[in-house]
């Protein structure tokens, strides 16, 4: 189980399909696999939180960093507004963590005033939803293809290109004055 956990600790998305397929090859049940991913998120929380706190403290003393922090806060507010509610409520923050990564989700939650526990709960919730989508897609695709290497390549390509495609479609709809479906 340790190799699966180590793959999940990789801070880029490629660790998810690789970890899921490794878990499957070692006959690790999907609930245990989800538990390992959750543990990796908790480890991440305890490793990233001091860095976040240090950046917040430094931004109070260093003017360029304070300006950067304010720009980041405004960007997070605009991003959260895309998910409805007009502000950075829990659903919008969960969607940020789902759409980007848990560290960004935690930073957005901190910018919205959430502390350690509520902020990481929000960030991990979004990341666990993302993990579930990728895990199911990986397992289903691998059952069809029967080739872990092709499965990984296709899942990684989808993880990279689908968000770009969605942004382009939204932009195309917006430029025509239409509401995206």
């Amino acid at each position: 189980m340790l190799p699966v956990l180590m793959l999940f600790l990789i801070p880029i998305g490629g660790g998810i399909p690789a970890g899921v397929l490794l878990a499957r090859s070692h006959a690790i049940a999907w609930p245990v696999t989800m538990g390992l991913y959750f543990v990796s998120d908790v480890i991440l929380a305890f490793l990233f939180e001091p860095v976040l706190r240090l950046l917040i403290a430094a931004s109070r003393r260093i003017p360029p960093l304070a300006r950067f922090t304010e720009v980041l806060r405004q960007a997070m507010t605009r991003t959260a507004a895309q998910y409805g509610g007009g502000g950075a409520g829990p659903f919008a923050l969960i969607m940020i963590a789902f759409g980007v990564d848990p560290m960004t989700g935690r930073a957005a939650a901190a910018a919205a005033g959430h502390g350690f526990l509520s902020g990481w709960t929000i960030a991990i919730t979004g990341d666990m939803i993302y993990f579930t989508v990728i895990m199911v897609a990986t397992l289903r695709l691998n059952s069809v293809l029967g080739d872990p290497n092709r499965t990984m390549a296709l899942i990684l390509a989808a993880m990279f290109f689908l968000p770009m495609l969605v942004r382009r479609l939204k932009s195309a709809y917006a430029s025509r004055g239409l509401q995206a479906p």
Side-chain angles (χ1 to χ4, degrees):
M1 284 198 276
L2 186 60
V4 174
L5 179 63
M6 298 304 286
L7 280 171
F8 289 157
L9 287 170
I10 294 173
I12 56 171
I16 295 173
V20 167
L21 292 172
L22 182 61
R24 173 50 89 55
S25 74
H26 287 14
I28 299 172
W30 68 264
V32 175
T33 303
M34 288 187 79
L36 287 170
Y37 192 79
F38 177 76
V39 168
S40 77
D41 272 354
V42 171
I43 291 169
L44 172 71
F46 282 99
L47 293 176
F48 181 71
E49 188 71 17
V51 173
L52 179 64
R53 295 289 175 178
L54 183 65
L55 286 172
I56 290 170
S59 71
R60 292 185 186 123
R61 292 174 174 65
I62 303 170
L65 192 54
R67 287 190 294 277
F68 173 76
T69 301
E70 185 54 34
V71 167
L72 182 63
R73 185 184 321 268
Q74 290 171 2
M76 294 296 178
T77 301
R78 283 192 306 275
T79 301
Q82 294 178 19
Y83 296 105
F91 178 75
L93 295 169
I94 287 169
M95 290 291 82
I96 290 171
F98 173 86
V100 184
D101 62 46
M103 287 86 58
T104 304
R106 171 60 183 123
H114 291 276
F116 177 79
L117 188 59
S118 64
W120 277 108
T121 299
I122 288 167
I124 289 173
T125 298
D127 195 42
M128 289 301 296
I129 295 168
Y130 178 76
F131 171 78
T132 302
V133 169
I134 299 301
M135 179 182 73
V136 169
T138 299
L139 292 174
R140 295 269 172 121
L141 185 60
N142 192 55
S143 71
V144 170
L145 297 178
D147 179 2
N149 292 327
R150 286 193 319 179
T151 299
M152 283 244 335
L154 288 172
I155 292 294
L156 289 174
M159 290 168 66
F160 183 74
F161 291 114
L162 278 177
M164 290 176 13
L165 178 63
V166 168
R167 280 192 295 275
R168 282 191 179 205
L169 288 174
K170 282 178 75 172
S171 177
Y173 274 101
S175 69
R176 293 184 181 128
L178 301 171
Q179 188 73 1

